[in-house]
Amino acid sequence: MTQLLQQAFSEASQLPELQQNMLAQWLMDEVLTEKKWAVLFAETADGLAALADEAVREYQQGKTQVLDADAL
């Protein structure tokens, strides 16, 4: 555990029990969400790489055009 996280937990331990529980639930939710996103990105990495390769090929073949943001 990092020193900063230890400091945060030390500060949080001085909060009332209800606030500690709310903070703990929020933190657990955040950690689980990050894990889910990591899994989703890992599962789609090959597909995203294939799309990127296709986009580069189309650019090299002159099949793309410059996006005019003002025309959107």
Side-chain angles (χ1 to χ4, degrees):
M1 181 183 312
T2 68
Q3 185 176 358
L4 183 58
L5 186 56
Q6 287 176 337
Q7 182 182 353
F9 283 144
S10 177
E11 291 293 324
S13 72
Q14 297 174 33
L15 295 171
E17 184 176 342
L18 177 61
Q19 288 180 319
Q20 287 185 38
N21 287 337
M22 290 171 59
L23 180 59
Q25 186 63 57
W26 172 82
L27 182 57
M28 290 189 309
D29 291 345
E30 287 296 312
V31 169
L32 290 175
T33 297
E34 287 299 317
K35 286 180 180 181
K36 287 178 186 178
W37 277 111
V39 168
L40 286 172
F41 281 125
E43 290 174 350
T44 61
D46 291 342
L48 291 173
L51 289 172
D53 290 343
E54 181 182 354
V56 169
R57 278 192 306 277
E58 289 179 0
Y59 172 78
Q60 292 170 338
Q61 295 170 355
K63 295 181 178 180
T64 61
Q65 57 185 343
V66 176
L67 177 64
D68 181 3
D70 294 330
L72 295 178

